[in-house]
Each structure stands twice: as C-alpha cells, then as structure tokens.
Amino acid sequence: MSNASDRARLPSIRDVARLAGVSHQTVSRVLNDHPSIRPETKSKVLDAISVLDYRPNLAARALVTSRSNVLGILSATIGEFGPTSSIAAIEDAAREEGYSVSTLNLGDTTPEAIGNAVRQLSREQVDGIVVLAPQVRVFHVLRGMSVEMPFVTLQTASGSDGVSLAADQVAGAKAATAHLISLGHTDILHLAGPQDWIEAESRMRGYLDGLREADLPTFPPIRGDWSADFGYFAGKELSRRRDFTAVFAANDLMAIGLLHGFRDSGLRVPHDVSVIGFDDIPVAAHVAPTLTTVHQDFPEIGRRAVRILLAQIRGEQVPEFGQLQTLLRLRESAVSR
C-alpha cells in the first residue's frame, strides 16, 4: 500500500532537493531565479526537476514572491489564424517560464467591454497582460485607464502605452505592391481591411507608398471585413469593371474569396487579373491558383511578447527586438502583365 501511495504522490520540493543533493531552500531559490545560485548548482536542480517532472506549487510561490505567476491575454481576434498562432506560442513560452495563462475574449470592443475585461484580469491578479486587440480604440481606452500592471501589445498604434511589438506591416504591403509593379501592372486595386484596425491602416499605407514611389495612379481602397465572403462579393462586383489588372488584398481570406468571385464571373487568375494576399495562412498554398502572399512569423511575435512582458515584470532590461521582417511568398496568382 505504501509503495502505491508513493507512486501516486506528486513529487515535492524536498524530493527535488534530495535528488539534487541540496537543501529545499536552494531549490526554492532556483525556482525564483535568485542571482546567488551558482550555475552548476542550478543545473543539478533543474536536472532533478526534469527527472521527477516536478511542478511548483504556484499558490505557495505567489505568497513568497507577491506574484500570481499568471499572464493575462486580452484578445478580440479569436478564430483568426494569426492571433491563434500567437496565443499558442504565448502559452508555450509562458509555460516554459513557470507561468500559466488566462485568456479573455472580447465579445465587442466598446470602452465598457474593454474596461470590464482589464478589471477582470486585474481581479485575477495576473502579473501582466498581452493585448491582441488590433483596433485603435482599444489603445485609446487602455491609455485612458492608466493601466498600472505591465502590458505589451502585438500591434503598433500611434500614442499607445506599454511596449508595442509587431511585424512590419507597412513594409510587407509595400513589397507586395512593388512586386505587382515589377510584373508590369500599373492599375492596381487594394481590397483593404476594416476601418479602425491597425493592421488594415498599416497595409493600406504600404500599398499607397508603393504606388506613390512608382508615380502610379491610386484608386480609392475597397473596405472589407477580413472575410472570404466579402472577398467573393468584391470579386463578383469588380468583374463588372475592367480598369485594373491586379489586386492587393489586405489578408488571405479576402484574397481567396476574391479568386472564387473572379472565377465565377469568368475572369481568369492570373491570366486576366493578378492577386496577392497577406498573412500566408496554411490554405493559401493549396487554393487554385496557389496564392502569392506576404508571410509573417506569428509564433515568433508571441514568443517575443512573453520575453518583453516577463522582463517588465521582473524589473529587468526590456529586450529591444525591433519589428519583425515580412517575406513575400511567390506562388501562382500573380504573373507578368
């Protein structure tokens, strides 16, 4: 009976200390990243933790460190490939650092809803917040609330507080537009994202900058809603006018809907119209024709966000990463004019 009981019992900090040949106080100092611990001692303790698959008692640690060891995520983009990939990376990176994650999904982004969400995370005593709510108004609300806990945002907003982290959306959109121009296209439309979305505005700016630098005419952007359904509707409507030879869509879902709408209207992509998207979602490589698009590393953005947030929480120097570079994925949907 005692042997079965021992097997069922979760390993304790004293078990780790016994295996590593140190005191339990030393194990505690390793868990709390105390600077006085020698590297060889830390290595022995970490090896023992790995062998025993020891999980610290986070509640007890919180009493000692005045931290909950929980990070909050405030998200208004559930279901989209990019944010979902970043959230998964945040959870993995947080877990590696001994943190758990509490995610709050905003049903809407009214000031009241945003304020309630931040207050709820505060009541949960999270140590810091990662914000994945890419509307400009979210940052206005956060700034007005004077959020006291550390937070990091995955988008860049003019005048936002905290530390911002994002891929270079402007450069990515400009590269997509420049590629179409290099293929001989001079009449290029832009299927934009919704107004007030930071990414939509950045990608529109990159498109406009690319046209201006090439001294080409600009067209009024077509405001979409990020969905494939809207892209399909836009493709059907645009097929009635033939004053363009290429379209740069602000995301892949709208671009894929656009391909469908053009095909159903008798326009051939890329023979009649070239199309480029943005995000490089997995299905972009499997539609017909395969979609030329702008790739950004969503998991790396999440990992960097955790490193920045934990540095703020621990009072350490915050890493300076700069914006992540984007990459143009050349496929079949854009060809020479």
Side-chain angles (χ1 to χ4, degrees), residues 123-203:
R123 286 193 296 272
E124 293 179 12
Q125 297 183 322
V126 299
D127 294 332
I129 301 175
V130 181
V131 182
L132 292 92
Q135 296 90 349
V136 175
R137 61 183 173 274
V138 174
F139 297 97
H140 292 164
V141 174
L142 291 174
R143 188 169 61 248
M145 291 183 67
S146 298
V147 179
E148 295 181 0
M149 73 183 73
F151 72 93
V152 60
T153 71
L154 298 200
Q155 287 79 26
T156 301
S158 177
S160 64
D161 293 329
V163 177
S164 296
L165 180 69
D168 195 337
Q169 310 285 316
V170 175
K174 188 175 177 180
T177 305
H179 179 64
L180 290 171
I181 294 169
S182 74
L183 294 175
H185 296 279
T186 57
D187 298 305
I188 304 168
L189 299 181
H190 180 45
L191 185 54
Q195 196 164 8
D196 190 53
W197 283 64
I198 297 162
E199 293 168 335
E201 298 306 312
S202 296
R203 295 171 192 182

